[in-house]
Amino acid sequence: MRELLVDLHRELIRWGLVVWTAGNVSQRIPGEDLFLIKPSGVFYDALTPESMVVCDFEGRLVEGELSPSSDTAAHAYVYKHMADVGGVVHTHSTYATAWAARGEPIPCVLTMMADEFGGDIPVGPFALIGDDSIGRGIVETLTNHRSPAVLMRNHGPFTIGKDAKAAVKAAVMLEDVARTVHIAQQGGPVEPVDKAAIDRLYDRYQNVYGQK
Amino acid sequence: MRELLVDLHRELIRWGLVVWTAGNVSQRIPGEDLFLIKPSGVFYDALTPESMVVCDFEGRLVEGELSPSSDTAAHAYVYKHMADVGGVVHTHSTYATAWAARGEPIPCVLTMMADEFGGDIPVGPFALIGDDSIGRGIVETLTNHRSPAVLMRNHGPFTIGKDAKAAVKAAVMLEDVARTVHIAQQGGPVEPVDKAAIDRLYDRYQNVYGQK
Amino acid sequence: MRELLVDLHRELIRWGLVVWTAGNVSQRIPGEDLFLIKPSGVFYDALTPESMVVCDFEGRLVEGELSPSSDTAAHAYVYKHMADVGGVVHTHSTYATAWAARGEPIPCVLTMMADEFGGDIPVGPFALIGDDSIGRGIVETLTNHRSPAVLMRNHGPFTIGKDAKAAVKAAVMLEDVARTVHIAQQGGPVEPVDKAAIDRLYDRYQNVYGQK
Amino acid sequence: MRELLVDLHRELIRWGLVVWTAGNVSQRIPGEDLFLIKPSGVFYDALTPESMVVCDFEGRLVEGELSPSSDTAAHAYVYKHMADVGGVVHTHSTYATAWAARGEPIPCVLTMMADEFGGDIPVGPFALIGDDSIGRGIVETLTNHRSPAVLMRNHGPFTIGKDAKAAVKAAVMLEDVARTVHIAQQGGPVEPVDKAAIDRLYDRYQNVYGQK
């Protein structure tokens, strides 16, 4: 699980979602009120399975020698309040963050968005690091919402999933659709996909896509 | 042929046409009503010659252990109805998909577009996955059309070719011209290339370019 | 010299100036009316020193087993009419081609442009492949001009230099400034650098920069 | 220290901040009025620890066989007049240079900007290479300013830090926020982060982020 988490951080680099040390992935430890997360300010190249740290749902370091990611409190709050979430990702990926800066949801104008996000991608509140307000903003926005992604205002995206890999996938797809829809709208108005088609696409992709 | 197909999927990554697992290449098996295609939801790095699956022209799995690409029905329909097509590619490459989202054909304003596409790049209908409507949309748009590429509305591009390599080439060139024309138009109006010049360029490129 | 030419083609890939097989570099053979150029339609990965072909100043193949680049006539014309030119590069790099599509010169608004191009980057005429009209357009535009780059209308850039390496450098710098100035202008008006400053920068860079 | 400097130049390439040979990093030699800097016009791939040159605070070569970077005078001026600065970086990274071309400060609309830059990123004067006017422009703009980055008008960014690594980090973060804010503003108006929130974020990031 630690090795997978290192590999998933490399995926953030590979798909251009992060620069320097600015992004993090966490994975819930099944059956325990704990999760694994990236240490703070460490280069992606320098991450090793051993360097990953274990935190509890109050965001406190439980195991590991390095300080946990400065976003640990937000991850912890999500695990504590969303029992189905097994993975959380935070990045400042360019296009998703641009929508977040304007506080504008990404409209569902692509079949790929219907597949993965099941509709528009919502905006969360402006919240400061330091207490649980980022975590609360994520949980309040994504509870009972199909989208595994939220655009935190003036900040950047958080994505969730059944495990860390699913949350990374959502982060990759989010940046891809954020970019495509931005570019589409630069050239003129874009017709949204209608609700019934979105529902059909979402249902199919969630249940049929991939290998059994 | 299986090895070539793996390599051609890697070209999609190399030229930035796909993210995660979202794109696929297929190749007709000469002399049979069958084609090779990518398995569904498998990472490009994990593709092996053996992992490629064989389907018939109804899109049914004929050989292979993995489920075929979720776009198999569209590929199958194209092979069934366009006898000259030996390869099909589907991506959600950013700029081509942006034009598709607006439902706007890409105007032929570059000599490179005249060479490869012989004119404007057309838009196909909005069609849902699950029956043959995507396949029909591709075939109806590209039959008797010079362009090997169609922009499926709110979805993304499909390209065709005499073999899988030619279809991948068309997908690469499509994204390149989609991006260049988008950027050109952002800066002001762009004069189209006149019809006679397009015809001359298309004829030359199709018959003279490359090695014999 | 053949090896260097292979390496310089790889630089086109490295800096993102070309896709697939669409770009070429040539190098004058000193003291002869001949030059080395890329064979037509061959992948950059597959280029070897031996695969490079030798052509004369009429664009005819003199040595080599492969057909020369389809742009050979344009390169030949430049060598024939500009005795100081030792290298020529042609690409369809995105931003330079976008300016070319609009037929708009790139205004000199950056010190880096003053350094390398000595002023605005000029537009050449619309010209069709097949005779010497592209070559003539390049020569007429660049003769007695500081800029080593011309934007051929609806087509793409050609760059020249004292050798192939200098022409590749100009192609790389061209795309860089074409992109930066495009993006700058998207955000509002851009003040040009004044003529006296351009002259001083150009003179210094041409004579002082780099190693002796 | 020489090895680190070579590696830091590679970071400029890795994060896409420079093309060809156009950018440079320097590092103050602690306790001496000297600094290490890149030689002029040498490829990033060709840089070795031995190729780095030592200059004094008048910008004169003190040790090394190659000519120092053509921007050496600007680096020297900064070290001479800002005692806390241990590293300086200069690039022409695309988006930062685009803001510089318009002479427009980057408004602080992202939490990541508040963290690293503590407010808007300021514009410095238009200044020509050849005397100390670039150095003076940097020092006058950044003295008593939180931002470690200045956008030199019609030229490009310079960043400073307690050492070369911190200055490279600032250069990487600068381009990232320059791009994100540009793209955000293309889609409509962007609300700035309020002053009290900026102060809190800046204070936390400067004092809590990373490992002790």
Side-chain angles (χ1 to χ4, degrees):
Chain A
M1 203 153 80
R2 285 167 176 271
E3 243 171 80
L4 177 63
L5 203 57
V6 171
D7 288 348
L8 289 170
H9 279 95
R10 303 255 157 84
E11 294 290 317
L12 301 185
I13 290 286
R14 176 190 198 153
W15 301 108
L17 306 192
V18 291
V19 296
W20 211 249
T21 63
N24 38 74
V25 183
S26 68
Q27 164 75 48
R28 181 193 288 265
I29 300 176
E32 302 190 59
D33 284 2
L34 298 170
F35 61 99
L36 272 169
I37 192 165
K38 180 179 176 291
S40 181
V42 175
F43 279 102
Y44 293 100
D45 283 359
L47 292 177
T48 59
E50 300 72 43
S51 66
M52 296 292 147
V53 297
V54 177
C55 292
D56 67 18
F57 288 180
E58 307 308 317
R60 289 173 301 219
L61 181 68
V62 169
E63 191 191 315
E65 283 169 37
L66 299 167
S67 307
S69 162
S70 64
D71 298 300
T72 296
H75 291 247
Y77 193 94
V78 173
Y79 288 120
K80 190 170 179 182
H81 293 88
M82 298 181 89
D84 292 345
V85 171
V88 177
V89 172
H90 174 48
T91 78
H92 302 93
S93 66
T94 303
Y95 285 87
T97 302
W99 290 91
R102 289 197 310 275
E104 188 179 339
I106 309 177
C108 187
V109 301
L110 300 171
T111 56
M112 194 205 243
M113 284 188 71
D115 288 347
E116 174 73 15
F117 300 95
D120 295 358
I121 295 169
V123 172
F126 178 74
L128 284 186
I129 206 164
D131 57 21
D132 62 11
S133 57
I134 295 177
R136 259 190 299 124
I138 300 168
V139 169
E140 283 169 16
T141 312
L142 295 186
T143 299
N144 298 320
H145 202 296
R146 280 177 181 170
S147 170
V150 53
L151 309 168
M152 295 300 285
R153 202 179 275 261
N154 295 100
H155 183 175
F158 282 81
T159 58
I160 57 175
K162 68 179 193 323
D163 53 25
K165 186 177 169 184
V168 170
K169 183 191 180 187
V172 172
M173 306 281 273
L174 167 64
E175 181 62 7
D176 196 60
V177 301
R179 179 171 49 232
T180 304
V181 179
H182 175 88
I183 290 167
Q185 288 191 345
Q186 280 190 294
V190 179
E191 202 79 10
V193 177
D194 78 52
K195 184 67 174 67
I198 290 174
D199 290 349
R200 224 171 108 190
L201 286 165
Y202 181 69
D203 179 63
R204 191 180 195 281
Y205 188 76
Q206 299 301 320
N207 297 304
V208 178
Y209 186 81
Q211 305 298 325
K212 270 142 253 165
Chain B
M1 203 152 80
R2 286 167 175 269
E3 243 172 80
L4 177 63
L5 202 57
V6 171
D7 288 348
L8 289 170
H9 279 95
R10 303 257 156 84
E11 294 290 317
L12 302 185
I13 289 285
R14 177 192 199 151
W15 301 108
L17 306 191
V18 291
V19 296
W20 212 248
T21 62
N24 38 73
V25 183
S26 69
Q27 164 74 48
R28 182 193 288 265
I29 300 176
E32 301 190 60
D33 284 2
L34 298 171
F35 61 100
L36 271 169
I37 193 166
K38 179 179 177 291
S40 182
V42 174
F43 279 101
Y44 293 99
D45 283 358
L47 292 177
T48 60
E50 300 73 42
S51 65
M52 296 291 148
V53 297
V54 177
C55 293
D56 68 19
F57 288 181
E58 307 307 317
R60 289 173 303 218
L61 181 69
V62 169
E63 192 191 315
E65 283 169 37
L66 298 167
S67 307
S69 163
S70 64
D71 298 300
T72 296
H75 292 247
Y77 193 94
V78 173
Y79 289 120
K80 190 170 178 181
H81 293 88
M82 299 182 89
D84 292 344
V85 171
V88 177
V89 173
H90 174 47
T91 78
H92 301 94
S93 65
T94 302
Y95 285 87
T97 302
W99 289 91
R102 288 197 309 275
E104 188 178 340
I106 309 177
C108 187
V109 300
L110 299 171
T111 57
M112 194 206 244
M113 283 189 71
D115 288 347
E116 174 73 15
F117 300 95
D120 296 356
I121 296 169
V123 172
F126 179 73
L128 284 186
I129 206 165
D131 57 20
D132 63 10
S133 55
I134 295 178
R136 258 190 300 124
I138 300 168
V139 169
E140 284 169 17
T141 311
L142 296 185
T143 299
N144 299 321
H145 202 295
R146 280 176 182 172
S147 171
V150 53
L151 308 168
M152 295 300 284
R153 202 179 276 259
N154 295 99
H155 183 175
F158 281 81
T159 58
I160 58 175
K162 68 179 194 324
D163 52 25
K165 187 177 168 184
V168 170
K169 183 190 181 188
V172 171
M173 306 281 272
L174 167 63
E175 181 63 7
D176 196 60
V177 299
R179 179 172 47 232
T180 304
V181 179
H182 175 88
I183 290 167
Q185 289 191 345
Q186 280 189 293
V190 179
E191 202 81 8
V193 178
D194 78 53
K195 185 68 175 66
I198 291 175
D199 290 349
R200 224 172 107 190
L201 286 165
Y202 180 70
D203 179 63
R204 191 181 195 280
Y205 189 75
Q206 299 300 320
N207 298 304
V208 179
Y209 186 80
Q211 305 298 326
K212 270 144 250 162
Chain C
M1 201 153 81
R2 286 168 175 269
E3 242 172 81
L4 177 63
L5 202 57
V6 171
D7 288 346
L8 288 170
H9 278 95
R10 303 255 156 86
E11 294 290 318
L12 302 185
I13 289 285
R14 175 191 201 152
W15 301 108
L17 306 192
V18 291
V19 296
W20 210 250
T21 62
N24 38 74
V25 183
S26 69
Q27 164 74 47
R28 181 193 288 266
I29 299 175
E32 301 189 60
D33 284 2
L34 298 171
F35 60 101
L36 271 169
I37 193 166
K38 179 179 177 288
S40 181
V42 174
F43 279 102
Y44 293 99
D45 285 358
L47 292 177
T48 59
E50 301 73 41
S51 65
M52 297 290 146
V53 298
V54 177
C55 292
D56 67 20
F57 288 179
E58 307 307 317
R60 289 172 302 217
L61 182 69
V62 169
E63 190 191 315
E65 284 169 36
L66 298 167
S67 307
S69 164
S70 65
D71 297 301
T72 296
H75 292 247
Y77 192 95
V78 172
Y79 289 119
K80 190 171 179 179
H81 294 88
M82 299 181 88
D84 293 343
V85 171
V88 177
V89 172
H90 174 47
T91 78
H92 302 94
S93 66
T94 302
Y95 284 87
T97 302
W99 290 91
R102 288 198 308 275
E104 187 179 339
I106 309 178
C108 187
V109 300
L110 299 171
T111 56
M112 194 205 244
M113 284 188 70
D115 288 346
E116 174 72 16
F117 300 95
D120 296 356
I121 296 169
V123 172
F126 180 74
L128 284 185
I129 206 164
D131 57 21
D132 62 10
S133 56
I134 294 177
R136 258 190 301 123
I138 300 167
V139 169
E140 284 168 17
T141 311
L142 295 185
T143 299
N144 299 322
H145 202 294
R146 282 177 181 171
S147 170
V150 54
L151 308 168
M152 295 300 284
R153 202 178 274 261
N154 295 99
H155 183 175
F158 282 80
T159 58
I160 58 175
K162 68 180 193 325
D163 52 25
K165 186 176 168 185
V168 170
K169 183 190 181 188
V172 171
M173 305 282 270
L174 167 63
E175 181 63 7
D176 196 59
V177 301
R179 180 172 47 232
T180 303
V181 178
H182 175 88
I183 290 167
Q185 289 191 345
Q186 280 189 294
V190 179
E191 202 80 9
V193 177
D194 78 52
K195 185 68 175 66
I198 291 174
D199 290 349
R200 224 173 106 190
L201 287 164
Y202 180 71
D203 179 65
R204 190 180 196 280
Y205 189 76
Q206 299 300 321
N207 297 306
V208 179
Y209 186 80
Q211 305 298 326
K212 270 143 252 164
Chain D
M1 200 153 82
R2 285 167 175 271
E3 243 171 81
L4 177 63
L5 202 57
V6 171
D7 289 347
L8 288 170
H9 279 96
R10 303 256 155 85
E11 294 291 317
L12 302 185
I13 290 284
R14 175 190 199 152
W15 301 108
L17 306 192
V18 291
V19 297
W20 211 248
T21 63
N24 38 73
V25 183
S26 68
Q27 164 75 47
R28 182 193 288 265
I29 299 176
E32 300 189 61
D33 283 2
L34 298 171
F35 61 100
L36 272 169
I37 192 166
K38 180 180 176 288
S40 182
V42 175
F43 279 102
Y44 293 100
D45 284 358
L47 292 177
T48 60
E50 301 72 43
S51 65
M52 296 292 145
V53 298
V54 178
C55 292
D56 67 18
F57 288 180
E58 307 308 316
R60 289 171 302 217
L61 181 68
V62 169
E63 190 192 315
E65 285 170 35
L66 299 167
S67 308
S69 163
S70 64
D71 298 300
T72 296
H75 292 247
Y77 193 94
V78 173
Y79 289 120
K80 190 170 179 180
H81 294 86
M82 298 181 89
D84 292 344
V85 171
V88 177
V89 173
H90 174 46
T91 79
H92 302 93
S93 66
T94 303
Y95 284 88
T97 303
W99 290 91
R102 287 198 309 275
E104 187 179 341
I106 310 177
C108 186
V109 301
L110 299 172
T111 56
M112 195 205 242
M113 284 187 71
D115 288 346
E116 175 73 16
F117 301 95
D120 296 357
I121 296 169
V123 172
F126 180 74
L128 284 186
I129 207 165
D131 56 21
D132 62 11
S133 57
I134 295 177
R136 258 190 300 123
I138 300 168
V139 169
E140 284 168 17
T141 311
L142 295 186
T143 299
N144 299 321
H145 202 295
R146 282 178 180 169
S147 171
V150 53
L151 309 168
M152 295 299 284
R153 203 179 274 261
N154 295 99
H155 182 176
F158 281 82
T159 58
I160 58 175
K162 69 179 193 326
D163 53 26
K165 186 176 169 186
V168 170
K169 183 190 181 188
V172 171
M173 305 282 272
L174 167 63
E175 181 62 8
D176 196 60
V177 300
R179 179 172 48 230
T180 304
V181 179
H182 175 89
I183 290 167
Q185 289 191 345
Q186 279 189 296
V190 178
E191 201 81 8
V193 177
D194 78 52
K195 184 67 174 65
I198 290 174
D199 290 349
R200 225 172 106 190
L201 287 164
Y202 180 70
D203 179 63
R204 189 181 197 279
Y205 189 76
Q206 299 300 320
N207 297 305
V208 180
Y209 186 80
Q211 304 298 326
K212 271 143 252 166

